[in-house]
Amino acid sequence: MKQSNFILFADCIPVKGINRSIICDTKSNNFYLIPNGLYDILENYNGKTIEDIKNDSEHKYDEIIDEYFDYLIDNKLIFFNSNPDLFPKMSTEWNSPSLITNIIIDYETIIHDFNVLIPQFETLKCSYIQLRFYKNISIDYIRNIAELLKKEKSRIVSIDFIIPYYEKFNLEELNTLLSENSRIHSIVVFNSPYNKSFKPLRQNMGYIMQVARNISNEKYCGIINEEYFYSNIKLFSESIHHNTCLNRKISIDKYGYIKNCPSMTASFGNIKDTTLEEALNKPHFKKYWNITKDQITVCKDCEFRHICTDCRAYTEEPENFYSKPLKCGYDPYKNEWSEWSTNPLKQKGIEYYAIPTPHTSPSTT
């Protein structure tokens, strides 16, 4: 074992949970489970030598300490250098020049006028849009939206489409659409005959995903599981200071009402007579923005809290501002995942929100 000072790579950030911890590798979008004892070592001895740790523990745990550092070395999480002061910790400050960073727009029977919306996106300096269609939509309509963004030289850098599977589903046509429009991040096709993911055309951009589950309305949103974990510095730092789901988000629901999220009840006007900027500046629009996972019941004890999102639309206790997300099945006190929709403790919330589950008929409201 090396005698020089050990240093945790700056982009590898430990997070302590109630029973165990993780190291978030924000560069490679990965995380590593570690015991809380190793977390304490990393927090208290980073920049020291391994011998310092063994001496302070009076050599009672030398074998365990060696195992810890073998693990860190094998996974390239630390390096050794005799001048640790040359390697400061990475800043976890979060800021954005955008008034709004992301927008969700739901479509059903009403087709919102995208020509009217694009200038509003620019005013808010928004860079990411997600469009969710609950009824069949033509590929030509999606192509027109993408072409409008090209024509207007929009600052939008990433757009996701969520669309239903249809009888004349043409994968080649979708691939052509992706190849012609570099701003399209993904096209998710729900209610498909099977689950299948396709490789992106460009690095992390331009991919198609078919999912068998139905997404017939906004109530299918808010599910939290390991598939949606992202270990990157942008999400990590935002999570420390803000709500990772609602911070700087604005939405238009399928009826045209402007909300924090289409799943929420509070409306701040309708897009027919209210601009997005006007809605943003109304009282209470930003009340969820600064609720962090460190304030949420149960979540504050979870080792995954800074790499997942935080749904405030559906919570276990609907009247509790700081209640755990309803659609999370993880128990940090047992370190176990379970199916949230069958958990007896969640049935009150499921009934309150009329949430569709695999065991109930989907709501059409």
Side-chain angles (χ1 to χ4, degrees), residues 6 13 33 74 79 97 116 118 120 137 158 180 190 204 240 256 263 284 289 302 317 330 359:
F6 83 88
I13 308 174
L33 292 165
D74 289 346
F79 63 99
V116 173
I118 288 179
Q120 298 188 47
I137 193 74
S158 178
E180 293 174 350
F190 66 85
N204 298 323
I240 291 174
S263 296
H284 307 302
W289 284 17
C302 180
E317 302 172 40
Y330 184 66
H359 313 286

Side-chain angles (χ1 to χ4, degrees), residues 159-359:
I159 182 166
D160 288 323
F161 293 95
I162 299 178
I163 63 175
Y165 183 84
Y166 52 99
E167 288 185 6
K168 296 182 180 180
F169 176 76
N170 189 320
L171 184 62
E172 185 176 339
E173 191 175 16
L174 289 183
N175 273 316
T176 300
L177 179 64
L178 289 174
S179 65
E180 293 174 350
N181 296 277
S182 59
R183 282 188 174 94
I184 300 179
H185 171 251
S186 71
I187 299 176
V188 177
V189 185
F190 66 85
N191 211 18
S192 293
Y194 44 75
N195 293 311
K196 187 173 182 179
S197 295
F198 300 86
K199 290 183 179 180
L201 298 183
R202 299 166 292 279
Q203 185 177 11
N204 298 323
M205 290 287 285
Y207 68 89
I208 297 168
M209 179 182 294
Q210 291 182 245
V211 295
R213 69 179 182 275
N214 194 11
I215 310 175
S216 61
N217 59 47
E218 70 284 351
K219 291 189 177 183
Y220 285 84
C221 190
I223 295 174
I224 294 173
N225 61 39
E226 290 179 281
E227 292 179 27
Y228 306 127
F229 285 175
Y230 291 98
S231 182
N232 60 59
I233 193 58
K234 182 179 178 181
L235 177 69
F236 189 98
S237 56
E238 186 176 17
S239 175
I240 291 174
H241 303 285
H242 303 285
N243 184 276
T244 47
C245 186
L246 297 176
N247 180 46
R248 304 209 189 185
K249 172 180 283 180
I250 199 167
S251 303
I252 304 171
D253 77 2
K254 58 191 177 187
Y255 302 112
Y257 289 105
I258 304 170
K259 300 178 176 181
N260 293 116
C261 165
S263 296
M264 303 184 94
T265 56
S267 166
F268 299 88
N270 193 289
I271 197 63
K272 293 178 182 178
D273 50 33
T274 306
T275 67
L276 295 175
E277 187 176 21
E278 288 170 343
L280 172 64
N281 291 319
K282 288 189 176 183
H284 307 302
F285 186 90
K286 302 174 184 178
K287 71 176 182 177
Y288 296 102
W289 284 17
N290 296 323
I291 299 177
T292 71
K293 278 294 185 72
D294 288 324
Q295 298 171 293
I296 302 299
T297 304
V298 180
C299 295
K300 62 186 178 183
D301 294 325
C302 180
E303 64 271 27
F304 301 121
R305 64 187 178 276
H306 293 313
I307 61 174
C308 77
T309 56
D310 179 46
C311 178
R312 294 292 90 202
Y314 305 118
T315 56
E316 284 190 352
E317 302 172 40
E319 306 303 324
N320 182 355
F321 209 57
Y322 299 99
S323 177
K324 177 185 175 180
L326 176 66
K327 298 184 183 181
C328 176
Y330 184 66
D331 183 346
Y333 306 106
K334 296 179 179 178
N335 304 125
E336 293 177 352
W337 287 91
S338 62
E339 173 53 49
W340 67 269
S341 63
T342 58
N343 187 331
L345 299 177
K346 294 179 180 282
Q347 296 310 305
K348 181 180 177 181
I350 290 171
E351 292 173 8
Y352 177 89
Y353 296 113
I355 296 292
T357 70
H359 313 286

